Amino acid sequence: MSTHPDRQRRIRIVSNIIRVVALLGMISCLTAILGYWLLPEPPRITSGGNWKAAHEWLNRPLVSLVLFIPFVGLLIFYQLMGCFARGEIFSKVTVRSVRWIGSLMVLWWLIPMALQGVLLLLALEGPRDVEFTIDGTLLGGILVFLLAWILEEGRQLQEEQRLTI
Amino acid sequence: MAIIVNLDVMLAKRKMRLNDLARAVGNTPQNLSVLKTGRARAIRFSTLDAICHVLDCQPGDILEYRPDEGEGSP
């Protein structure tokens, strides 16, 4: 991709800084998951209720699952920054990565609510109220999807430019 | 696409190699290869002007429209 050398250098520096932050975030997520499994009495998901004895074992896997989502998101983000550092800004890989990040953001919004409903039905005793909120995570995820479409448009324009002799 | 590029025909007529043409028009052999093999999406007038100048030909000698062969769609 033909980019001004100074601009490319700035993109590379910023991308590498963000990659380091993403790497630290991934390590934190993994540490949290590991720590959660090693703790004798880990904090519990309560969702406003108390665990039924037979279903208490669900607590650790569910929290690990919820913590795994940001880990995967940070991994994809790390790879995306790697693409930017190499100068691949409008490419199929970057478009796919941004789309994945959007999906994970929507999932990150959806899963706690879904879990809340399932847990209240099956595993918890208490008031059966499910909280439904529309917050920045959902809107951010939709915005990131929009960004992926725009990047795809940019990719096609760049491809057209590349094949213009 | 219904536009056919007959660059290889003109190169043969002028007994010129693609590398020599690329050097003469100030472009890369890879780019001209994209043009020659019909993979190009567009050609700049400046490039067409340079190629016609070097090969001493008309744009119609290099570009041909065959509606039966291409999809004919934008």
Side-chain angles (χ1 to χ4, degrees), chain A residues 156 159-165, chain B residues 31 39-44 47:
Chain A
Q156 288 180 4
E159 184 73 6
E160 188 116 352
Q161 174 66 18
R162 194 179 66 80
L163 292 175
T164 296
I165 309 303
Chain B
N31 273 353
R39 285 182 291 135
R41 294 271 183 89
I43 182 168
R44 295 186 181 90
T47 305

Side-chain angles (χ1 to χ4, degrees), chain B residues 8 13 15 20 24 29 31-33 35 37-38 52 59 63 70-71:
Chain B
D8 47 352
K13 279 185 181 175
K15 295 181 177 54
D20 299 330
N31 273 353
L32 289 191
S33 175
L35 183 64
T37 54
C52 289
L63 304 173
E71 291 159 1

Side-chain angles (χ1 to χ4, degrees), chain B residues 14-31:
Chain B
R14 298 290 182 259
K15 295 181 177 54
M16 187 182 276
R17 293 186 308 168
L18 191 70
N19 288 351
D20 299 330
L21 177 65
R23 204 175 307 119
V25 303
N27 213 316
T28 62
Q30 290 80 11
N31 273 353

Side-chain angles (χ1 to χ4, degrees), chain A residues 63-75:
Chain A
V63 172
S64 301
L65 172 70
V66 171
L67 283 175
F68 193 63
I69 293 172
F71 172 78
V72 172
L74 285 168
L75 180 65

Side-chain angles (χ1 to χ4, degrees), chain A:
Chain A
M1 192 195 96
S2 59
T3 314
H4 192 271
D6 280 346
R7 195 181 308 134
Q8 178 57 33
R9 192 174 53 86
R10 281 197 289 266
I11 291 171
R12 191 169 55 245
I13 290 169
V14 173
S15 301
N16 285 330
I17 290 170
I18 295 173
R19 282 179 90 194
V20 169
V21 173
L23 190 62
L24 291 173
M26 283 193 287
I27 293 170
S28 305
C29 282
L30 282 179
T31 309
I33 293 172
L34 195 64
Y36 205 79
W37 278 94
L38 294 174
L39 280 173
E41 285 291 330
R44 292 172 180 183
I45 302 171
T46 57
S47 294
N50 299 311
W51 281 93
K52 292 177 188 168
H55 295 101
E56 271 193 34
W57 63 272
L58 279 172
N59 191 54
R60 280 187 221 249
L62 284 175
V63 172
S64 301
L65 172 70
V66 171
L67 283 175
F68 193 63
I69 293 172
F71 172 78
V72 172
L74 285 168
L75 180 65
I76 293 170
F77 196 64
Y78 179 83
Q79 291 170 342
L80 178 67
M81 289 299 118
C83 288
F84 287 169
R86 286 192 299 274
E88 296 167 28
I89 297 178
F90 298 106
S91 69
K92 283 185 181 174
V93 175
T94 56
V95 171
R96 195 167 51 234
S97 299
V98 171
R99 213 172 274 145
W100 263 105
I101 289 171
S103 307
L104 286 170
M105 286 179 76
V106 173
L107 210 61
W108 182 249
W109 167 80
L110 187 65
I111 279 188
M113 279 191 304
L115 267 181
Q116 201 179 35
V118 169
L119 287 177
L120 283 172
L121 276 174
L122 299 176
L124 297 179
E125 292 165 335
R128 294 181 186 249
D129 297 321
V130 176
E131 209 176 284
F132 177 82
T133 53
I134 293 179
D135 61 8
T137 314
L138 173 66
L139 297 174
I142 293 170
L143 199 64
V144 170
F145 264 116
L146 182 63
L147 183 64
W149 284 335
I150 292 169
L151 278 176
E152 173 63 22
E153 189 71 22
R155 189 193 70 79
Q156 288 180 4
L157 285 171
Q158 186 180 67
E159 184 73 6
E160 188 116 352
Q161 174 66 18
R162 194 179 66 80
L163 292 175
T164 296
I165 309 303

